[in-house]
Amino acid sequence: MLDEKLQPIFDDVLRRNPGEDEFHQAVREVLDSLGAVVAKHPHYAEDALIERICEPERQIIFRVPWVDDKGQVQINRGFRVQFNSALGPFKGGLRFHPTVYLGTIKFLGFEQTFKNALTGMPIGGGKGGADFDPKGRSSGEIMRFCQSFMTELCRHLGEYTDVPAGDIGVGQREIGYMFGQYKRIANRYESGVLTGKGLAWGGSQVRTEATGYGAVYFVERMLRTRNHNFDGKKVIVSGSGNVAIYTMEKIMELGGKVIACSDSNGYVVDESGIDLALLKEIKEKKRGRVSDYAKARRSSHFVSNGRIWDVPADVAMPSATQNELNGQDARTLVKNRIVAVGEGANMPCTPEAVKIFLDAGVMFGPGKATNAGGVATSALEMQQNASRDSWTFEATEARLATIMHGIHDRCAEMADTYGSPGNYVLGANVAGFIRVAEAMRALGIV
Ligand code: GLU
């Protein structure tokens, strides 16, 4: 049950955003954590502050027409939800995936607001994307789509206004096409308008690796609180995109063994440890599938319909997409004596799964804390762009590690202060909320 002050706010969110299940889920989780905060500090429930936090500042929906390789005109729907700019310009990625609709972008923008606040950096929250399916599209089609998408989006962006980056389906190639189109329309080399850029044209060292590396730094610090570490641990990392690949890389560096990963067609198990060079070759160079990995590696096998969470392991890092790990999966992991779960993706565990982990005493790192290293490094990219500087890999990675340790410690401290020691979900929601709320109070009713 929600706190009596918070229930009407949630009812209103349901009424105003019909059918947007993921958004409801994300709001519900944050409100669940805020009961203890409004009980202790009733002023946070005044001036409709929480209602304002749940309502995006601006939502943009637009037509994206483009011409495919056969000369056919295609139409997609583009979105940008500028959720909250109390702490800085709207900041958050763009997702290109056929399932994207307003509810997806709203949930991601809401999460992003608290995530960005947790980093301690001057960035507000936003998210965007399109229901475009990049799978099987030629590079020319991707470019034409990105150009058309940016032709509308550009009027809403700016280094002090809104700074997008990548997310599912959007990597350095797409950011390049979008930056090129922005530059052409604006007639300005405004590096700070997008992050995730290539190193040769304004990007930052470590940005590619940052979400995965950061997630592992967070989980490592969490493991340490109970005298564990990655050394010798068996790990499942779902997904095989940018987040998953660099999560695996850092786990291996710390002595862990990644034994399974996946894509939307199925998962691969490799008890001798995933061969990362091979996986990178298949995924990053050939844009292939994990089934191609299984064909190329004898110690592995591919499972096309089944649950990756059935594979016994010590640590699980869901790094694919929202709601990919449900209550039944969580029960299986607990039965197989999982020690820790760290969310690399945004909201990959269902509320039921999260509850099962917390009740079972499994260490659980929620996405908005665990995966904040990506956007934090985007903020470092913005810093470098603003000062026309570029830092070394080592210096940038050291900053990332410090930021992740800071996020971990802030979440742990808030969980203690608000009466749920070890509950990083509560800690992350409360720490993120308080930072946004304080700025909003200072800025008046806007
Ligand atoms: N899409 C990433 C996230 O979920 C990164 C956003 C960014 O760098 O702006 O946090």
Side-chain angles (χ1 to χ4, degrees), residues 60-93:
I60 303 148
I61 305 181
F62 52 99
R63 180 170 71 197
V64 188
W66 57 285
V67 182
D68 69 17
D69 284 348
K70 295 191 191 106
Q72 299 270 330
V73 177
Q74 301 278 347
I75 301 294
N76 285 99
R77 187 171 289 178
F79 304 91
R80 185 73 182 166
V81 174
Q82 300 182 326
F83 223 107
N84 194 301
S85 64
L87 291 170
F90 304 107
K91 180 87 198 85

Side-chain angles (χ1 to χ4, degrees), residues 88-109:
F90 304 107
K91 180 87 198 85
L94 299 169
R95 176 175 292 191
F96 292 169
H97 194 272
T99 59
V100 162
Y101 75 111
L102 184 59
T104 320
I105 303 300
K106 235 188 250 177
F107 115 66
L108 289 164

Side-chain angles (χ1 to χ4, degrees), residues 210-276:
T211 311
Y213 279 19
V216 178
Y217 282 129
F218 185 98
V219 172
E220 194 210 16
R221 189 125 170 140
M222 186 167 76
L223 287 169
R224 265 172 209 265
T225 63
R226 295 202 209 155
N227 295 321
H228 284 281
N229 58 45
F230 270 106
D231 198 22
K233 294 264 188 316
K234 284 189 176 185
V235 189
I236 312 170
V237 179
S238 65
S240 51
N242 173 264
V243 177
I245 284 179
Y246 293 96
T247 295
M248 297 185 214
E249 186 164 283
K250 187 52 80 181
I251 290 169
M252 292 174 192
E253 242 179 82
L254 296 177
K257 191 176 186 186
V258 179
I259 53 165
C261 67
S262 62
D263 63 22
S264 54
N265 294 126
Y267 67 92
V268 66
V269 183
D270 189 341
E271 287 290 345
S272 63
I274 296 283
D275 175 343
L276 197 61

